[in-house]
Amino acid sequence: MPNTPNTPVPRLTVAVLGPGGVGGLLAALLSRSGHRVLCLAGEETAGTLRTTGIQVRSARFGDFTASVDADTALREPVDACLITVKATALDAALTRIPPEALGDALLVPFLNGVEHPALLRARYAPDRVAPSVIRVESTRTAPGLIEHTSPFAEIDLTGDKVPRLESLAEALTAAGPATRVLDDETTALWAKMSFLAPFALLTTRYALPLGEARTRHREELASLVAETAAVSRACGAPVDPAQALARYDAFPPAAKSSMQRDAEAGRPLELDAIGGALLRAADRHGVPVPVTARIVRELREAGR
């Protein structure tokens, strides 16, 4: 249930693994709202955050600086731990949250793709893992400097009777992002995947912002959307291709996917977590995805 201005929100202690564009924004908003936030990062970033806090520039939430605690690993009890690293950095980052230190805390991954919940449940208490999604454009321009450029920040937390999930939802809503709790994680994860995969693959393959990509490569975009929707349906999460295309058309033409931005910056791409996971799901269910397979192959051959 959404929190109202007259309803006090209990103070939480929240760890944030990976205070980048998404994690830094959530950490700063939660801290500004009165919660204790512990950012987990490398020594240099942790030192910067302890000294200067997190500075946010946002048309939606305002420009502000929030103080946070920071460490290189989790060494104390927390109510929840948000995982906001890229999929390419997940394995290394998880060494910062030993299972014995996490205990029975809520573990909330905000990762692209659909395969990470199984990995996390194999390592931590399965009933404390609440896979979630966030819709936002937010970038870390330097340690502790966050540029939130989208006019929205929307969160779907998933889990049925997961301890502390409702409390976290109330805290996030009070801090700013529109937050809801959904029972079905499969539907939530595939809803994001169905939008993200065509967007990420097409814009990265052709190094174009969405406006040009959706115009110059319309047929490929439509094929990617149809193929992703077919895989999503096979996995039990119905998606409407026409609605997905309409969402692309409504997006600002200058929008770029995070994968495209990573390619431009020479960073590792989440190609396997997005394109690879889509191909593996298609193979399991016998769904033909020729356009997706070709674009993933071309990106891999280009060294992406």
Side-chain angles (χ1 to χ4, degrees), residues 53-275:
I54 299 177
Q55 300 176 52
V56 174
R57 300 292 176 265
S58 169
R60 172 70 177 82
F61 300 119
D63 297 349
F64 66 96
T65 299
S67 61
V68 296
D69 293 327
D71 204 341
T72 57
L74 183 63
R75 312 176 201 275
E76 61 183 272
V78 296
D79 295 301
C81 179
L82 312 184
I83 301 180
T84 55
V85 297
K86 293 288 183 74
T88 52
L90 180 61
D91 287 342
L94 290 180
T95 62
R96 302 190 189 280
I97 46 174
E100 61 274 15
L102 187 67
D104 65 352
L106 178 65
L107 191 66
V108 184
F110 289 99
L111 277 83
N112 291 326
V114 294
E115 296 178 336
H116 56 276
L119 182 152
L120 294 171
R121 288 187 171 118
R123 183 166 182 150
Y124 302 100
D127 62 345
R128 296 296 193 272
V129 178
S132 301
V133 300
I134 182 168
R135 291 173 288 276
V136 69
E137 286 185 41
S138 186
T139 304
R140 187 193 84 154
T141 57
L145 298 176
I146 306 298
E147 296 281 349
H148 171 221
T149 55
S150 60
F152 54 84
E154 302 167 348
I155 294 173
D156 289 341
L157 304 176
T158 75
D160 184 16
K161 300 179 181 177
V162 176
R164 301 192 183 102
L165 194 61
E166 289 289 349
S167 294
L168 179 62
E170 291 177 0
L172 287 167
T173 296
T179 305
R180 58 182 181 173
V181 177
L182 306 177
D183 292 339
D184 188 350
E185 73 177 56
T186 298
T187 296
L189 292 178
W190 274 102
K192 182 171 184 180
M193 181 75 146
S194 297
F195 178 80
L196 177 64
F199 180 26
L201 295 175
L202 196 68
T203 57
T204 307
R205 168 63 182 84
Y206 294 108
L208 293 172
L210 180 58
E212 290 184 68
R214 71 192 177 201
T215 301
R216 293 166 57 179
H217 301 279
R218 186 74 178 186
E219 186 174 337
E220 283 175 285
L221 176 60
S223 296
L224 286 169
V225 168
E227 291 176 5
T228 307
V231 176
S232 178
R233 285 195 298 271
C235 292
V239 172
D240 181 359
Q243 187 178 56
L245 276 174
R247 287 182 64 198
Y248 292 122
D249 288 336
F251 247 56
K256 295 182 178 181
S257 67
S258 60
M259 186 187 291
Q260 181 185 0
R261 293 186 187 279
D262 285 340
E264 292 173 346
R267 294 187 291 261
L269 303 190
E270 294 183 301
L271 182 58
D272 188 66
I274 298 173

Side-chain angles (χ1 to χ4, degrees), residues 266-288:
R267 294 187 291 261
L269 303 190
E270 294 183 301
L271 182 58
D272 188 66
I274 298 173
L278 182 55
L279 295 181
R280 288 187 287 274
D283 184 62
R284 285 196 303 273
H285 293 281
V287 178

